[in-house]
Amino acid sequence: MTGSPDSSGQRAGSPTSVLGGDPAETEQAILRRGLDAFAELGYQATTVRVLAQRLGVSHNFISVRYGSKFAFWCAVVDFASSEALESGGWIFAEDYEDDQELIAASVRKIYRVSAQLPQLHRIVADEAARDSERLDYLFERYLRPFMSNVEPSIHRLVAKGIMPPVPVHLLYFAVMGPTSGLIQQPLARKFGRPEPSSDDEDIQYGQTLAGLLLSGIMHKPGA
């Protein structure tokens, strides 16, 4: 139970009674607030009590609506990932005849998402530091499929001498490392990043970083 019904028939402490509006939009608002909380505080520090305060709901809303904090975290990650996919869609290897074009498109997609949804990448970076069911969820549901999509192209480009022969796990971190310039905004501002920046400017920053990275990991054979 999430409280007694109010005069509108909604239970006190339910997301609709607190936030108002269409239930679907309310659900998105709940998940977006959850995304901000997990990205800012990390999973352990984001207690159910903290979530209730952040979401503006009763203390037992998470357990009643989602079953557990972990289940809510999964819903938040899925929501953020679906938002990311709406920006340009998923990149499929079969849509690209040229391996270099696939790798370039995949890298640029990563940096576009990092610029538009830095919270998602903060969550991934935080969870990557320790083994947990959350890391398993991220890896099996998102990271492994992404790498499986590009690995055949990587191997062919390595064989042609276009990409360096480094292990895939090192290549992953070489690609993901520079996204810190997009998600660690307080530090970036100390180095001179303008504040505030528009969404278009954030995306352009991401594409500039992607271009720098691609110029470093792909080159002409014999160059």
CSV table of all heavy atoms in Angstrom, one decimal, residues 124-159:
chain,number,residue,atom,x,y,z
A,124,VAL,N,27.6,3.7,-15.2
A,124,VAL,CA,28.4,2.6,-15.7
A,124,VAL,C,29.8,2.7,-15.1
A,124,VAL,O,30.4,1.7,-14.7
A,124,VAL,CB,28.5,2.7,-17.2
A,124,VAL,CG1,29.5,1.7,-17.8
A,124,VAL,CG2,27.1,2.4,-17.8
A,125,ALA,N,30.4,3.9,-15.0
A,125,ALA,CA,31.7,4.1,-14.5
A,125,ALA,C,31.8,3.7,-13.0
A,125,ALA,O,32.7,3.1,-12.6
A,125,ALA,CB,32.2,5.5,-14.7
A,126,ASP,N,30.7,4.0,-12.3
A,126,ASP,CA,30.7,3.7,-10.9
A,126,ASP,C,30.6,2.2,-10.6
A,126,ASP,O,31.3,1.6,-9.8
A,126,ASP,CB,29.5,4.4,-10.2
A,126,ASP,CG,29.5,4.2,-8.7
A,126,ASP,OD1,30.5,4.4,-8.0
A,126,ASP,OD2,28.4,3.7,-8.2
A,127,GLU,N,29.7,1.6,-11.4
A,127,GLU,CA,29.5,0.1,-11.2
A,127,GLU,C,30.7,-0.7,-11.7
A,127,GLU,O,30.9,-1.9,-11.3
A,127,GLU,CB,28.2,-0.3,-11.9
A,127,GLU,CG,26.9,0.3,-11.3
A,127,GLU,CD,26.7,-0.1,-9.9
A,127,GLU,OE1,27.3,-1.1,-9.4
A,127,GLU,OE2,26.0,0.7,-9.2
A,128,ALA,N,31.5,-0.2,-12.7
A,128,ALA,CA,32.6,-0.9,-13.3
A,128,ALA,C,33.7,-1.2,-12.3
A,128,ALA,O,34.5,-2.1,-12.5
A,128,ALA,CB,33.1,-0.1,-14.4
A,129,ALA,N,33.7,-0.5,-11.1
A,129,ALA,CA,34.8,-0.7,-10.2
A,129,ALA,C,34.6,-1.9,-9.2
A,129,ALA,O,35.5,-2.2,-8.5
A,129,ALA,CB,34.9,0.6,-9.3
A,130,ARG,N,33.5,-2.6,-9.3
A,130,ARG,CA,33.3,-3.7,-8.4
A,130,ARG,C,32.4,-4.7,-9.0
A,130,ARG,O,31.5,-4.4,-9.8
A,130,ARG,CB,32.7,-3.2,-7.0
A,130,ARG,CG,31.3,-2.6,-7.2
A,130,ARG,CD,30.9,-1.9,-5.9
A,130,ARG,NE,31.7,-0.7,-5.7
A,130,ARG,CZ,31.5,0.5,-6.3
A,130,ARG,NH1,30.5,0.6,-7.2
A,130,ARG,NH2,32.3,1.5,-6.1
A,131,ASP,N,32.6,-6.0,-8.6
A,131,ASP,CA,31.7,-7.1,-9.1
A,131,ASP,C,30.4,-7.0,-8.4
A,131,ASP,O,30.4,-6.8,-7.1
A,131,ASP,CB,32.3,-8.4,-8.8
A,131,ASP,CG,33.4,-8.8,-9.9
A,131,ASP,OD1,33.2,-8.5,-11.1
A,131,ASP,OD2,34.4,-9.4,-9.5
A,132,SER,N,29.3,-7.1,-9.1
A,132,SER,CA,28.0,-7.0,-8.5
A,132,SER,C,27.0,-7.5,-9.5
A,132,SER,O,27.2,-7.6,-10.7
A,132,SER,CB,27.6,-5.6,-8.0
A,132,SER,OG,27.4,-4.8,-9.2
A,133,GLU,N,25.7,-7.7,-9.0
A,133,GLU,CA,24.7,-8.1,-9.9
A,133,GLU,C,24.3,-6.9,-10.8
A,133,GLU,O,23.8,-7.1,-12.0
A,133,GLU,CB,23.4,-8.5,-9.1
A,133,GLU,CG,22.8,-7.5,-8.2
A,133,GLU,CD,21.6,-8.0,-7.5
A,133,GLU,OE1,21.1,-9.0,-7.8
A,133,GLU,OE2,21.2,-7.3,-6.5
A,134,ARG,N,24.6,-5.7,-10.4
A,134,ARG,CA,24.4,-4.6,-11.3
A,134,ARG,C,25.4,-4.5,-12.4
A,134,ARG,O,25.0,-4.2,-13.6
A,134,ARG,CB,24.4,-3.3,-10.4
A,134,ARG,CG,23.4,-3.3,-9.3
A,134,ARG,CD,23.5,-2.0,-8.5
A,134,ARG,NE,24.8,-1.7,-7.9
A,134,ARG,CZ,25.3,-2.3,-6.8
A,134,ARG,NH1,24.5,-3.2,-6.2
A,134,ARG,NH2,26.4,-2.0,-6.3
A,135,LEU,N,26.6,-4.8,-12.2
A,135,LEU,CA,27.6,-4.9,-13.2
A,135,LEU,C,27.3,-6.0,-14.2
A,135,LEU,O,27.4,-5.8,-15.4
A,135,LEU,CB,29.0,-5.1,-12.7
A,135,LEU,CG,30.1,-5.1,-13.7
A,135,LEU,CD1,30.2,-3.9,-14.6
A,135,LEU,CD2,31.5,-5.4,-13.1
A,136,ASP,N,26.8,-7.1,-13.7
A,136,ASP,CA,26.4,-8.2,-14.5
A,136,ASP,C,25.3,-7.8,-15.4
A,136,ASP,O,25.2,-8.1,-16.6
A,136,ASP,CB,26.0,-9.4,-13.7
A,136,ASP,CG,27.1,-10.1,-13.0
A,136,ASP,OD1,28.3,-9.9,-13.4
A,136,ASP,OD2,26.9,-10.8,-12.0
A,137,TYR,N,24.3,-7.1,-14.9
A,137,TYR,CA,23.2,-6.6,-15.6
A,137,TYR,C,23.6,-5.7,-16.8
A,137,TYR,O,23.2,-5.8,-17.9
A,137,TYR,CB,22.2,-5.9,-14.7
A,137,TYR,CG,20.9,-5.5,-15.3
A,137,TYR,CD1,19.8,-6.4,-15.4
A,137,TYR,CD2,20.7,-4.2,-15.9
A,137,TYR,CE1,18.6,-6.0,-16.0
A,137,TYR,CE2,19.5,-3.9,-16.5
A,137,TYR,CZ,18.5,-4.8,-16.5
A,137,TYR,OH,17.3,-4.5,-17.1
A,138,LEU,N,24.5,-4.7,-16.4
A,138,LEU,CA,25.0,-3.8,-17.5
A,138,LEU,C,25.7,-4.5,-18.5
A,138,LEU,O,25.6,-4.2,-19.7
A,138,LEU,CB,25.9,-2.7,-16.8
A,138,LEU,CG,25.2,-1.7,-15.9
A,138,LEU,CD1,26.2,-0.9,-15.1
A,138,LEU,CD2,24.3,-0.7,-16.7
A,139,PHE,N,26.6,-5.5,-18.1
A,139,PHE,CA,27.4,-6.1,-19.1
A,139,PHE,C,26.6,-7.0,-20.0
A,139,PHE,O,26.8,-7.0,-21.2
A,139,PHE,CB,28.5,-7.0,-18.4
A,139,PHE,CG,29.5,-7.6,-19.3
A,139,PHE,CD1,30.5,-6.8,-19.9
A,139,PHE,CD2,29.4,-8.9,-19.6
A,139,PHE,CE1,31.4,-7.4,-20.8
A,139,PHE,CE2,30.3,-9.5,-20.5
A,139,PHE,CZ,31.3,-8.8,-21.1
A,140,GLU,N,25.8,-7.9,-19.4
A,140,GLU,CA,25.0,-8.8,-20.3
A,140,GLU,C,24.0,-8.2,-21.1
A,140,GLU,O,23.7,-8.6,-22.3
A,140,GLU,CB,24.4,-9.9,-19.4
A,140,GLU,CG,25.4,-10.7,-18.6
A,140,GLU,CD,26.3,-11.5,-19.5
A,140,GLU,OE1,25.9,-11.8,-20.7
A,140,GLU,OE2,27.4,-11.9,-19.1
A,141,ARG,N,23.4,-7.1,-20.6
A,141,ARG,CA,22.3,-6.5,-21.3
A,141,ARG,C,22.7,-5.5,-22.3
A,141,ARG,O,22.1,-5.3,-23.4
A,141,ARG,CB,21.3,-5.9,-20.3
A,141,ARG,CG,19.9,-5.5,-20.9
A,141,ARG,CD,19.0,-5.1,-19.8
A,141,ARG,NE,17.7,-4.7,-20.3
A,141,ARG,CZ,16.7,-5.5,-20.5
A,141,ARG,NH1,16.8,-6.8,-20.3
A,141,ARG,NH2,15.5,-5.1,-21.0
A,142,TYR,N,23.8,-4.8,-22.1
A,142,TYR,CA,24.2,-3.7,-22.9
A,142,TYR,C,25.7,-3.7,-23.4
A,142,TYR,O,25.9,-3.6,-24.6
A,142,TYR,CB,24.0,-2.3,-22.2
A,142,TYR,CG,22.6,-2.1,-21.8
A,142,TYR,CD1,22.1,-2.2,-20.5
A,142,TYR,CD2,21.6,-1.8,-22.8
A,142,TYR,CE1,20.7,-2.0,-20.2
A,142,TYR,CE2,20.3,-1.6,-22.5
A,142,TYR,CZ,19.9,-1.7,-21.2
A,142,TYR,OH,18.5,-1.6,-20.9
A,143,LEU,N,26.6,-3.9,-22.5
A,143,LEU,CA,28.0,-3.8,-22.9
A,143,LEU,C,28.5,-5.0,-23.8
A,143,LEU,O,29.1,-4.8,-24.9
A,143,LEU,CB,28.9,-3.7,-21.7
A,143,LEU,CG,28.6,-2.5,-20.8
A,143,LEU,CD1,29.6,-2.5,-19.6
A,143,LEU,CD2,28.7,-1.2,-21.6
A,144,ARG,N,28.1,-6.2,-23.4
A,144,ARG,CA,28.5,-7.4,-24.3
A,144,ARG,C,27.9,-7.3,-25.7
A,144,ARG,O,28.6,-7.5,-26.7
A,144,ARG,CB,28.2,-8.7,-23.6
A,144,ARG,CG,28.7,-9.9,-24.4
A,144,ARG,CD,28.0,-11.2,-24.0
A,144,ARG,NE,28.3,-11.6,-22.6
A,144,ARG,CZ,29.3,-12.3,-22.3
A,144,ARG,NH1,30.2,-12.7,-23.2
A,144,ARG,NH2,29.5,-12.7,-21.0
A,145,PRO,N,26.5,-7.0,-25.8
A,145,PRO,CA,26.0,-6.9,-27.1
A,145,PRO,C,26.6,-5.8,-28.0
A,145,PRO,O,26.8,-6.0,-29.2
A,145,PRO,CB,24.5,-6.6,-26.8
A,145,PRO,CG,24.2,-7.2,-25.5
A,145,PRO,CD,25.5,-6.9,-24.7
A,146,PHE,N,27.0,-4.7,-27.3
A,146,PHE,CA,27.6,-3.6,-28.1
A,146,PHE,C,29.0,-4.1,-28.6
A,146,PHE,O,29.3,-3.9,-29.8
A,146,PHE,CB,27.8,-2.4,-27.2
A,146,PHE,CG,28.6,-1.3,-27.9
A,146,PHE,CD1,28.0,-0.4,-28.7
A,146,PHE,CD2,30.0,-1.2,-27.6
A,146,PHE,CE1,28.8,0.5,-29.4
A,146,PHE,CE2,30.8,-0.2,-28.3
A,146,PHE,CZ,30.1,0.6,-29.1
A,147,MET,N,29.8,-4.7,-27.8
A,147,MET,CA,31.1,-5.2,-28.2
A,147,MET,C,31.0,-6.3,-29.3
A,147,MET,O,31.7,-6.4,-30.2
A,147,MET,CB,31.9,-5.6,-27.0
A,147,MET,CG,32.3,-4.5,-26.1
A,147,MET,SD,33.2,-3.2,-27.0
A,147,MET,CE,34.7,-4.0,-27.5
A,148,SER,N,30.0,-7.2,-29.1
A,148,SER,CA,29.8,-8.3,-30.0
A,148,SER,C,29.4,-7.7,-31.4
A,148,SER,O,29.8,-8.3,-32.4
A,148,SER,CB,28.7,-9.2,-29.6
A,148,SER,OG,29.1,-9.9,-28.3
A,149,ASN,N,28.8,-6.6,-31.4
A,149,ASN,CA,28.4,-6.0,-32.7
A,149,ASN,C,29.6,-5.4,-33.5
A,149,ASN,O,29.6,-5.4,-34.7
A,149,ASN,CB,27.4,-4.8,-32.4
A,149,ASN,CG,26.7,-4.3,-33.6
A,149,ASN,OD1,26.1,-5.0,-34.4
A,149,ASN,ND2,26.8,-3.0,-33.8
A,150,VAL,N,30.6,-5.0,-32.8
A,150,VAL,CA,31.8,-4.4,-33.5
A,150,VAL,C,33.0,-5.2,-33.5
A,150,VAL,O,33.9,-4.9,-34.3
A,150,VAL,CB,32.1,-3.0,-32.8
A,150,VAL,CG1,30.9,-2.1,-32.9
A,150,VAL,CG2,32.5,-3.2,-31.3
A,151,GLU,N,33.1,-6.3,-32.7
A,151,GLU,CA,34.3,-7.1,-32.6
A,151,GLU,C,34.8,-7.7,-34.0
A,151,GLU,O,36.0,-7.6,-34.3
A,151,GLU,CB,34.2,-8.2,-31.6
A,151,GLU,CG,34.6,-7.8,-30.2
A,151,GLU,CD,34.7,-8.9,-29.3
A,151,GLU,OE1,35.8,-9.6,-29.4
A,151,GLU,OE2,33.9,-9.1,-28.4
A,152,PRO,N,33.9,-8.2,-34.8
A,152,PRO,CA,34.3,-8.8,-36.1
A,152,PRO,C,35.0,-7.7,-37.0
A,152,PRO,O,36.0,-7.9,-37.6
A,152,PRO,CB,33.0,-9.3,-36.7
A,152,PRO,CG,32.2,-9.6,-35.6
A,152,PRO,CD,32.4,-8.6,-34.6
A,153,SER,N,34.4,-6.5,-36.9
A,153,SER,CA,35.0,-5.4,-37.7
A,153,SER,C,36.4,-5.0,-37.1
A,153,SER,O,37.3,-4.7,-37.9
A,153,SER,CB,34.1,-4.2,-37.7
A,153,SER,OG,32.9,-4.4,-38.5
A,154,ILE,N,36.5,-5.0,-35.8
A,154,ILE,CA,37.8,-4.7,-35.2
A,154,ILE,C,38.8,-5.7,-35.6
A,154,ILE,O,40.0,-5.3,-36.0
A,154,ILE,CB,37.6,-4.7,-33.7
A,154,ILE,CG1,36.8,-3.5,-33.2
A,154,ILE,CG2,39.0,-4.6,-33.0
A,154,ILE,CD1,36.4,-3.5,-31.7
A,155,HIS,N,38.5,-7.0,-35.6
A,155,HIS,CA,39.5,-8.0,-36.0
A,155,HIS,C,39.9,-7.8,-37.4
A,155,HIS,O,41.1,-8.0,-37.8
A,155,HIS,CB,38.9,-9.4,-35.7
A,155,HIS,CG,38.7,-9.7,-34.3
A,155,HIS,ND1,39.6,-9.4,-33.3
A,155,HIS,CD2,37.6,-10.3,-33.6
A,155,HIS,CE1,39.2,-9.8,-32.1
A,155,HIS,NE2,38.0,-10.3,-32.3
A,156,ARG,N,39.0,-7.5,-38.3
A,156,ARG,CA,39.3,-7.3,-39.7
A,156,ARG,C,40.2,-6.1,-39.9
A,156,ARG,O,41.2,-6.1,-40.7
A,156,ARG,CB,38.1,-7.2,-40.6
A,156,ARG,CG,37.3,-8.5,-40.8
A,156,ARG,CD,36.2,-8.4,-41.8
A,156,ARG,NE,35.1,-7.6,-41.4
A,156,ARG,CZ,34.0,-8.1,-40.8
A,156,ARG,NH1,33.9,-9.4,-40.5
A,156,ARG,NH2,33.0,-7.3,-40.5
A,157,LEU,N,39.9,-5.0,-39.2
A,157,LEU,CA,40.7,-3.8,-39.3
A,157,LEU,C,42.1,-4.0,-38.7
A,157,LEU,O,43.1,-3.5,-39.3
A,157,LEU,CB,40.0,-2.6,-38.6
A,157,LEU,CG,38.7,-2.2,-39.3
A,157,LEU,CD1,38.0,-1.1,-38.4
A,157,LEU,CD2,39.0,-1.6,-40.7
A,158,VAL,N,42.2,-4.8,-37.7
A,158,VAL,CA,43.6,-5.1,-37.1
A,158,VAL,C,44.3,-5.9,-38.2
A,158,VAL,O,45.5,-5.7,-38.4
A,158,VAL,CB,43.4,-5.9,-35.8
A,158,VAL,CG1,44.8,-6.5,-35.4
A,158,VAL,CG2,42.9,-5.0,-34.7
A,159,ALA,N,43.7,-6.9,-38.8
A,159,ALA,CA,44.4,-7.7,-39.8
A,159,ALA,C,44.9,-6.9,-41.0
A,159,ALA,O,45.9,-7.2,-41.6
A,159,ALA,CB,43.4,-8.8,-40.3
